[in-house]
Amino acid sequence: MHLNKQIFLFLNSLANKNAILDGVWVFFAQYAIFIFGLALIYFLYRDKIFFLKIALSALVTIGLVTVIKKIWPFPRPFLQEEIKLLIAHIPDSTFPSKHTAVAFVLAFGVFF
């Protein structure tokens, strides 16, 4: 069994065992995207040119990730395994992750 699958199955085995941890995971899954929005608002007030560059980079990244997902689909684990879902999700491609890609663009932009 691949390490990626072992880690996923281990983490999924923790679902529905602790209501507090389940709530934390659900919160981050549903609302972490707003952290990116708050970062963009911060940059809007700090430096408008930088904001435009980073916002454009994020939009281009979202577009590229969407195209990659269409060309090279990678099924989500819940489509292949018997797992416990804490929240419903559409059965689209899982890789590459839009959240991760946008977070990387923001971090890369801030770093450089």
Side-chain angles (χ1 to χ4, degrees):
M1 183 182 311
H2 292 93
L3 181 60
N4 187 33
K5 185 174 181 179
Q6 287 177 327
I7 293 170
F8 171 77
L9 291 175
F10 168 72
L11 291 173
N12 187 255
S13 73
L14 301 175
N16 296 323
K17 290 189 177 178
N18 183 306
I20 294 171
L21 286 178
D22 288 349
V24 168
W25 290 120
V26 168
F27 174 81
F28 280 113
Q30 292 179 330
Y31 301 109
I33 190 71
F34 294 110
I35 294 170
F36 302 137
L38 291 174
L40 285 175
I41 290 170
Y42 169 77
F43 293 127
L44 173 63
Y45 288 106
R46 182 174 167 215
D47 183 353
K48 291 190 186 332
I49 299 297
F50 180 70
F51 167 79
L52 291 173
K53 288 178 184 178
I54 206 161
L56 182 61
S57 297
L59 289 174
V60 168
T61 300
I62 290 169
L64 287 173
V65 167
T66 302
V67 169
I68 292 169
K69 285 184 174 202
K70 297 287 183 194
I71 293 171
W72 183 33
F74 194 85
R76 291 196 178 268
F78 69 81
L79 297 174
Q80 300 174 332
E81 302 287 334
E82 281 292 319
I83 64 160
K84 303 168 206 158
L85 291 177
L86 296 177
I87 56 175
H89 199 288
I90 58 173
D92 64 345
S93 182
T94 188
F95 182 82
S97 166
K98 283 183 198 168
H99 290 90
T100 304
V102 171
F104 178 79
V105 165
L106 289 176
F108 193 78
V110 169
F111 184 73
F112 287 106

